[in-house]
Amino acid sequence: MNPVPAPTASAPAPAPAARRRIDEWRPEDPAFWAATGARVARRNLLWSVVCEHIGFSVWSLWSVLVLFLGPEYGVDPAGKFLLTAVPTLVGAALRLPYTVAVTAFGGRTWTVLSALLLLLPTALLGVLLQPGVSYGTLLVTAAAAGVGGGNFASSMANINAFYPQRLKGRALGINAGGGNLGVPAVQLLGLLVLAAAGAGHPRPVVLVYVPLIVLVALGAALRMDNLSGVRPAGRPLREVARHGHAWALSLLYIGTFGSFIGFGFAFGQVLLVQFPDAFPTPVRAASLTFLGPLLGSLARPLGGHLADRRGGARVTFWTFAAMAAGAGLVLVASREGSLPLFLAGFVLLFVLSGLGNGSAYKMIPAVYRAEARRRTERGEDAAAADARAHRHANALMGIAGAVGALGGVLINVAFRQAFLAGGTGEPAYLAFLAWYVLCLAVTWAVYLRRPDTV
């Protein structure tokens, strides 16, 4: 989709009307960007980050709530891993329709609607979460929390339209990193509630988000904008699905974002199961679980910034090399029973997954920008080539976001099966190591051997 008509003059566009709709948007025009574009883009980015942050918090609720499920709930560790996998799966499935929704409703309108949808899981949990509730009901409420996972795709597609190519890595990194901070935020809230009220009172963790959801939806309605002309020509999702880049980049995003969200959901439960003597209570586990997602979220904008400066493929390659080393460190620590080494390895994986999230996502618009440049060199109209590149990049953000989030499901399933089979996570850690090596090889073979692709 392409909200950027060919510029006919360098004069700034008029300010958006009260109905928050912008009919002319030219981020690649330096005069327009300096006079009008940068200010409007920053305002939309701010509210996009806030709304996405709340969405990630709601999506991640079950990474905290499983710590409150004591014996009175009758849920074993395998059942708890499944409760964290279900919202990840639903959120992944919703990312494709959420990407399309931006073009159908407009960025501002859909941000408001998707924020208000977060009231569904929070209301359900506020009413139903109590001892005696059936496991099936818990699975339904976990699935409802998946709506928070869809927000990421629509938010990224929307912000991608506001920024010029040279700033996309940083802008998308800030947008995603601010959203990712919702994971450690809800985990810190869970720690405070566990410490203050005890494991028998999970509802405050949920209910605190109800007024926040209403406030951010109101802020988005008042301060964000719809861009006109964003409905794409053709069927970009179907077109992009035929591109090899779609699946290569989605595979890489499984390795980065799948690791971040999968570890974020499962880490507290992993500590309780693998090191029960060191973590006899959920409070002890919760005191550490937020650290990794926090550092990974903060690292994501840095990954985007480094990709802007050094190239997304190069940063992603070295990130996967380091992630393979981190997974090896976790495997060794597990075999030796070393908790400090285990924690160090996982914190390293969180930080690196954040860096890789930023650099891998930067590769998406860069790949299609390079394709547009080659088409222009062959004589195609530059405006048409840029328009195609923009709508294909947005479509691939939706596909990669959906497929990448499935990595979080695979991680939780891997942990579930590993602990069920042998009481240890070592088979899962070995699988993670192998996946990072595969991603390393794909990055080199597809993108570094042909530097003109990014």
Side-chain angles (χ1 to χ4, degrees), residues 47-327:
W47 283 99
S48 178
V49 166
V50 172
C51 292
E52 190 187 337
H53 177 94
I54 298 298
F56 260 92
S57 293
V58 172
W59 193 26
S60 306
L61 276 170
W62 279 97
S63 70
V64 174
L65 294 179
V66 292
L67 302 179
F68 288 84
L69 301 184
E72 65 274 19
Y73 286 88
V75 183
D76 63 11
K80 292 178 181 179
F81 279 120
L82 185 57
L83 284 172
T84 57
V86 166
T88 315
L89 177 62
V90 174
L94 288 176
R95 287 187 165 192
L96 286 179
Y98 269 56
T99 300
V100 176
V102 171
T103 67
F105 297 95
R108 166 185 170 269
T109 303
W110 183 248
T111 300
V112 174
L113 291 174
S114 61
L116 292 176
L117 279 173
L118 300 174
L119 292 172
L120 173 63
T122 50
L124 282 175
L125 285 167
V127 172
L128 298 174
L129 190 58
Q130 56 185 332
V133 64
S134 70
Y135 185 68
T137 301
L138 292 178
L139 284 174
V140 170
T141 58
V147 298
N151 290 29
F152 172 85
S154 55
S155 178
M156 294 293 274
N158 184 43
I159 291 305
N160 184 53
F162 275 94
Y163 277 83
Q165 179 67 29
R166 70 184 187 281
L167 299 177
K168 285 185 187 293
R170 184 175 66 180
L172 293 174
I174 291 172
N175 190 57
N180 291 171
L181 282 170
V183 180
V186 74
Q187 292 174 347
L188 275 171
L189 176 62
L191 173 61
L192 292 175
V193 173
L194 279 168
H201 301 280
R203 287 184 177 180
V205 180
V206 178
L207 294 178
V208 72
Y209 281 98
V210 173
L212 292 178
I213 291 167
V214 174
L215 287 174
V216 299
L218 179 62
L222 295 175
R223 300 294 294 161
M224 292 188 74
D225 304 288
N226 287 326
L227 294 179
S228 64
V230 296
R231 189 176 296 275
R235 297 182 176 181
L237 284 174
R238 181 177 297 181
E239 294 167 10
V240 166
R242 295 195 292 262
H243 298 172
H245 285 304
W247 305 109
L249 289 168
S250 294
L251 183 147
L252 301 184
Y253 206 56
I254 289 175
T256 58
F257 182 74
S259 296
F260 173 84
I261 200 66
F263 295 151
F265 275 50
F267 190 45
Q269 187 64 16
V270 169
L271 291 178
L272 288 173
V273 176
Q274 184 146 354
F275 295 94
D277 294 335
F279 299 96
T281 65
V283 177
R284 291 286 299 276
S287 66
L288 291 175
T289 53
F290 75 92
L291 181 60
L294 174 63
L295 295 175
S297 301
L298 294 174
R300 181 157 190 162
L302 177 60
H305 178 69
L306 288 174
D308 282 339
R309 293 175 59 87
R310 305 294 183 185
R314 185 176 293 108
V315 175
T316 302
F317 176 85
W318 288 111
T319 296
F320 278 124
M323 289 182 76

Side-chain angles (χ1 to χ4, degrees), residues 294-391:
L294 174 63
L295 295 175
S297 301
L298 294 174
R300 181 157 190 162
L302 177 60
H305 178 69
L306 288 174
D308 282 339
R309 293 175 59 87
R310 305 294 183 185
R314 185 176 293 108
V315 175
T316 302
F317 176 85
W318 288 111
T319 296
F320 278 124
M323 289 182 76
L329 183 63
V330 170
L331 180 61
V332 170
S334 178
R335 289 177 175 173
E336 298 296 324
S338 172
L339 178 59
L341 199 61
F342 188 84
L343 292 174
F346 257 107
V347 169
L348 179 63
L349 284 175
F350 272 113
V351 173
L352 292 169
S353 68
L355 284 171
N357 284 338
S359 62
Y361 234 63
K362 163 64 178 178
M363 290 171 69
I364 295 174
V367 161
Y368 287 108
R369 183 74 170 183
E371 179 185 337
R373 185 172 60 250
R374 290 192 296 272
R375 286 177 176 272
T376 301
E377 290 170 353
R378 292 197 298 266
E380 184 173 326
D381 178 71
D386 287 344
R388 182 187 296 106
H390 187 84
R391 67 175 181 264

Side-chain angles (χ1 to χ4, degrees), residues 390-406:
H390 187 84
R391 67 175 181 264
H392 284 173
N394 269 10
L396 183 47
M397 284 182 182
I399 292 174
V403 176
L406 288 175

